[in-house]
């Protein structure tokens, strides 16, 4: 056996799984198709559930997050007439942490390098083999040469377009999907945030989100048709549209500046079952995609890592297979709850083309109910800060 666990995918979920396994004395090899520079240039999520914060600390990569991250006690949900504050800390005793996924990935790479973990980049044509035998194997090409690794288990952390999910026979997969008829145009700008906490705005002109990465780096979004391209949205047009979608008191504080990154992300809900096929286990976007409205993408991947790292340690250290046998069911139970929450937030905050007046009234009634009901705010807060593992 060349290593104990081969991890396909060098993003945050694969790196975190490797970090936790290495700290338990389990050897890993990580295979990543892109360069490290490309992985570290990806602009992704910026909100960590408190369970994710605690697992990063357990993995020994929480120091910079604790020093530079911004703990948030709550968030605002608004429409043209009403602003509702959901106080996470008062309602649940927990917070969320604003700390970008890119920074998490930097911290994990630094920690893995310090451990001497083998991380292979620019790996192509990966094939996962022998999943029903006493050992699995992974073949890949790097630098024009073909290689083969034998291992006890394979973790598929290679995202929606990776090879891992496709390795499970199509007739053994159950896939569930909802594609939304709009996307989010997001920009990154070195300007101060319009508010100390996130603002989710449902306006007559469409959805907008005021988020941040730090006290002088913002991440703002507006809902756009799927046909729109980044080139259709020069900075002046974005700022004007963002300003008219957020509450007037926030718009009055808005500081604009040049964008340093701009992209359009389509929204979808997607789950593939099961998460296990023999010696292969799916993690994160390889198995599920959520719309970003509920801030669950990275956090769901972290919860998968939580279940899987415990199961692999028990199997490889104590010979206890129970955790591996229940991994798919345990992870999926939490995944579907997060799917429900993200779908609910998406429906509550976005305008849909061709909708009637009833839909708009339902959004208004939902926000009014949140304003009046502590129970409703607590339910939202419990889901936003993260359900227990």
């Amino acid at each position: 056996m060349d290593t104990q666990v081969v991890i396909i995918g060098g993003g945050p979920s694969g790196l975190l799984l490797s970090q936790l396994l290495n700290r338990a004395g389990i050897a890993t090899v990580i295979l990543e198709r892109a360069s490290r520079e490309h992985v570290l240039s990806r602009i992704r999520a910026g909100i960590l559930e408190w369970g994710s914060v605690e697992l990063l600390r357990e993995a020994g990569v929480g120091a910079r997050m604790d020093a530079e991250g911004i703990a948030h006690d709550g968030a605002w949900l608004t429409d043209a007439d009403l602003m509702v504050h959901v106080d996470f800390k008062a309602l649940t005793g927990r917070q969320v942490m604003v700390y970008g996924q890119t920074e998490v990935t930097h911290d994990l790479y630094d920690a893995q390098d310090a451990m001497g973990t083998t991380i292979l980049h620019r790996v192509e044509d990966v094939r996962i083999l022998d999943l029903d035998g006493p050992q699995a194997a992974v073949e890949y090409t790097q630098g024009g040469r073909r290689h083969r690794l034998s291992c006890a288990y394979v973790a598929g952390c290679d995202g929606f377009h990776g090879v891992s999910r496709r390795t499970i026979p199509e007739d053994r997969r159950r896939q569930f999907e909802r594609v939304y008829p709009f996307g989010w145009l997001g920009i990154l700008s070195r300007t101060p945030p319009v508010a100390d906490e996130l603002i989710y705005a449902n306006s007559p002109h469409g959805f907008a989100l005021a988020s941040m990465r730090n006290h002088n780096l913002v991440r703002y979004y507006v809902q756009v048709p799927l046909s729109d391209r980044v080139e259709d949205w020069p900075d002046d047009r974005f700022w004007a549209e963002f300003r008219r979608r957020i509450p007037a008191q926030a718009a009055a504080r808005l500081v604009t500046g040049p964008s340093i990154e701009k992209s359009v992300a389509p929204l979808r809900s997607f789950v593939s079952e099961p998460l296990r096929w023999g010696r292969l286990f799916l993690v994160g976007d390889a198995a599920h995609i959520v719309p970003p409205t509920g801030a669950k993408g990275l956090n769901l991947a972290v919860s998968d890592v939580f279940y899987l790292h415990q199961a692999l340690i028990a199997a490889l250290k104590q010979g206890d297979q129970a955790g591996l046998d229940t991994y798919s069911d345990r992870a999926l139970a939490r995944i579907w709850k997060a799917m429900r929450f993200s779908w609910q937030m998406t429906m509550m905050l976005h305008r849909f083309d061709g909708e009637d007046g009833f839909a708009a009234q339902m959004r208004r009634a939902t926000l009014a109910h949140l304003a009046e009901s502590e129970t409703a705010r607590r339910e939202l807060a419990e889901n936003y800060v993260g359900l227990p593992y």
Side-chain angles (χ1 to χ4, degrees), residues 35 37 51 53 74-75 79 108 115 149 152 170 235 256 274 288 291 328 353:
S35 67
E37 293 73 23
V53 169
D79 64 13
L108 285 163
M115 284 187 175
L149 283 169
E170 188 172 355
D235 286 358
T256 65
H288 46 77
S328 184
D353 289 343

Side-chain angles (χ1 to χ4, degrees), residues 271-351:
V271 180
S272 180
E273 301 179 357
L275 306 190
R276 179 185 186 179
W277 185 252
R279 293 181 174 273
L280 169 67
F281 300 86
L282 303 184
V283 174
D285 288 359
H288 46 77
I289 302 287
V290 289
T293 327
K296 293 292 170 243
L298 173 59
N299 292 299
L300 265 189
V302 171
S303 71
D304 293 347
V305 169
F306 174 84
Y307 295 125
L308 185 56
H309 95 277
Q310 288 187 335
L312 288 170
I313 290 170
L316 291 166
K317 290 291 189 178
Q318 291 96 41
D320 181 357
Q321 300 288 316
L324 295 180
D325 292 339
T326 59
Y327 165 70
S328 184
D329 289 342
R330 290 181 71 200
L332 282 167
R334 194 174 189 277
I335 287 163
W336 277 114
K337 292 171 187 174
M339 285 284 159
R340 181 205 66 83
F341 176 68
S342 297
W343 167 81
Q344 184 181 52
M345 289 280 284
T346 302
M347 299 299 291
M348 178 175 66
L349 291 165
H350 292 79
R351 296 182 72 248

Side-chain angles (χ1 to χ4, degrees), residues 157-318:
C157 306
D158 50 347
F160 183 77
H161 298 289
V163 68
S164 297
R165 184 179 68 256
R166 299 198 307 272
T167 298
I168 301 175
E170 188 172 355
D171 63 351
R172 299 303 179 91
R173 279 184 266 141
R174 299 179 66 209
Q175 298 190 164
F176 307 86
E177 186 171 30
R178 173 65 52 87
V179 177
Y180 301 92
F182 43 74
W184 279 13
L185 171 70
I187 73 162
L188 205 62
S189 176
R190 297 196 187 283
T191 51
V194 296
D196 293 336
E197 295 175 337
L198 273 66
I199 299 175
Y200 288 84
N202 166 36
S203 84
H205 309 289
F207 169 79
L209 171 62
S211 185
M212 67 191 73
R213 292 296 179 266
N214 57 48
H215 294 297
N216 197 46
L217 183 63
V218 297
R219 184 69 164 162
Y220 293 155
Y221 301 91
V222 294
Q223 174 187 349
V224 297
L226 286 173
S227 57
D228 281 16
R229 304 169 303 161
V230 168
E231 294 76 20
D232 300 326
W233 285 87
D235 286 358
D236 288 348
R237 182 187 178 192
F238 176 88
W239 288 120
E241 188 63 25
F242 181 74
R243 186 190 301 276
R244 75 173 184 156
R245 295 188 189 190
I246 60 175
Q249 52 266 60
R253 297 189 296 267
L254 180 64
V255 177
T256 65
S259 63
I260 57 176
E261 190 274 342
K262 192 182 296 178
S263 57
V264 176
L267 271 65
R268 64 152 50 95
S269 299
F270 173 85
V271 180
S272 180
E273 301 179 357
L275 306 190
R276 179 185 186 179
W277 185 252
R279 293 181 174 273
L280 169 67
F281 300 86
L282 303 184
V283 174
D285 288 359
H288 46 77
I289 302 287
V290 289
T293 327
K296 293 292 170 243
L298 173 59
N299 292 299
L300 265 189
V302 171
S303 71
D304 293 347
V305 169
F306 174 84
Y307 295 125
L308 185 56
H309 95 277
Q310 288 187 335
L312 288 170
I313 290 170
L316 291 166
K317 290 291 189 178
Q318 291 96 41

